[in-house]
Amino acid sequence: MDLLEKFFSISMIEMIRYILISGIFYLICYMIYKKSLASAKIQTAEVSNKDVRREIYHSLVSSVIMTFLIFFIISTPIAADTKLYLNISDYSIAWLITSIPIGMFMHDTYFYWLHRLLHHKKIFRHVHLVHHQSNNPSPFSSYSFHILEAIGEGLIIPLLLFIIPLHPIAIYSFIFFSFIINVYGHLGYEIAPKWFRKSFLFNILNTSVYHNMHHSKFHGNYGLYFRFWDKIMHTENPRYIELYDEIQCNRFPS
């Protein structure tokens, strides 16, 4: 299989992964359990079919772009200059597992500052507005980016490969977990369990309400996985906890 065929195959797999995962969440929340999950809906407005079609189109294009960036690094001689390794024994199972959350921590920092840049008034309407057309996001909006934003988002894996040792298993796991969290952030429903609110994790991790507020208000809550950069930079929406509690009280009235 030559490089072009390999790239085409990987791109198809990534597009199918996007459709399957986003589609399953959409099917569950917006169709099968729509009535029983009504109290978990963050915004009361319906997501239109037109919005979904737009989100799918931009997300599929973004999937191909982000796949190309990773493929270009790991499938060409450039790979020799990265910290990509193929033998788990080179760094141990412990590092393989640890490298995933470390990569996500680094990604959150990268994402926060890239996100802040994309909200600059001279950039927003030319690039990031494509993503913010989904002011009432659905699972399909997770990769709905302008081409330039897709490039910026997709550069995280190539950058990590030049910073920390990564095994292909870690890379694929990182991509998978990152996408699941991304879909949850754009879900439009808050599905976090009741116990989450009183756990220490609530002060660390983002929720669907957290990112949904960013889409509805256009400012604040710029983090991807964690709350700490928003807290440090004082960009967390002051009504976040209030809205989260309101929705969870509707979900769990007793």
Side-chain angles (χ1 to χ4, degrees):
M1 182 182 294
D2 62 26
L3 286 179
L4 186 60
E5 289 177 341
K6 188 176 180 181
F7 170 66
F8 178 78
S9 297
I10 295 174
S11 295
M12 287 300 297
I13 291 171
E14 287 303 302
M15 287 191 286
I16 291 171
R17 175 181 63 85
Y18 158 77
I19 291 292
L20 280 178
I21 296 176
S22 299
I24 288 171
F25 276 95
Y26 186 88
L27 183 66
I28 291 172
C29 295
Y30 288 80
M31 299 178 74
I32 298 176
Y33 295 107
K34 181 178 180 179
K35 289 185 178 179
S36 59
L37 286 173
S39 61
K41 189 76 166 62
I42 301 169
Q43 296 186 46
T44 56
E46 296 288 335
V47 175
S48 71
N49 291 332
K50 181 180 178 181
D51 287 332
V52 169
R53 288 194 296 270
R54 185 196 70 252
E55 291 168 353
I56 292 175
Y57 167 73
H58 285 297
S59 291
L60 290 177
V61 173
S62 295
S63 292
V64 174
I65 292 171
M66 292 187 285
T67 298
F68 173 77
L69 293 172
I70 299 172
F71 180 82
F72 181 75
I73 293 294
I74 67 176
S75 299
T76 64
I78 296 175
D81 297 318
T82 69
K83 295 183 180 295
L84 176 70
Y85 68 98
L86 303 178
N87 298 315
I88 295 177
S89 58
D90 289 349
Y91 287 92
S92 80
I93 293 276
W95 170 253
L96 173 63
I97 296 172
T98 305
S99 65
I100 299 171
I102 289 176
M104 295 179 79
F105 175 84
M106 296 172 72
H107 184 199
D108 191 74
T109 299
Y110 173 83
F111 179 88
Y112 178 87
W113 291 105
L114 173 63
H115 203 177
R116 289 288 302 272
L117 176 64
L118 290 171
H119 273 266
H120 189 281
K121 61 182 179 180
K122 292 185 178 179
I123 299 176
F124 180 85
R125 66 189 180 93
H126 298 293
V127 181
H128 197 43
L129 181 59
V130 170
H131 189 62
H132 271 278
Q133 285 180 296
S134 303
N135 60 356
N136 183 21
S138 82
F140 290 112
S141 63
S142 51
Y143 277 178
S144 184
F145 303 135
H146 183 279
I147 291 174
L148 292 179
E149 182 170 357
I151 293 172
E153 299 284 358
L155 282 174
I156 183 59
I157 296 294
L159 288 173
L160 288 177
L161 281 167
F162 285 99
I163 299 172
I164 61 173
L166 288 174
H167 188 275
I169 292 176
I171 295 173
Y172 299 138
S173 298
F174 175 93
I175 293 171
F176 177 77
F177 291 134
S178 175
F179 184 66
I180 292 292
I181 294 170
N182 204 356
V183 169
Y184 166 57
H186 293 88
L187 188 59
Y189 288 81
E190 186 49 74
I191 58 173
K194 185 177 182 180
W195 58 261
F196 180 75
R197 177 63 177 88
K198 294 184 179 181
S199 75
F200 73 95
L201 293 173
F202 180 75
N203 290 314
I204 298 173
L205 302 177
N206 288 352
T207 63
S208 192
V209 171
Y210 198 89
H211 194 67
N212 193 283
M213 290 187 79
H214 174 76
H215 275 261
S216 63
K217 306 300 181 185
F218 278 55
H219 297 287
N221 296 7
Y222 296 104
L224 178 59
Y225 309 119
F226 310 114
R227 292 173 61 184
F228 64 85
W229 273 116
D230 279 303
K231 288 183 176 183
I232 292 170
M233 301 306 298
H234 305 290
T235 53
E236 184 169 281
N237 190 300
R239 285 203 64 242
Y240 164 59
I241 295 177
E242 178 186 344
L243 180 59
Y244 182 89
D245 286 345
E246 180 182 321
I247 291 172
Q248 292 299 68
C249 282
N250 290 333
R251 291 181 64 203
F252 310 108
S254 57

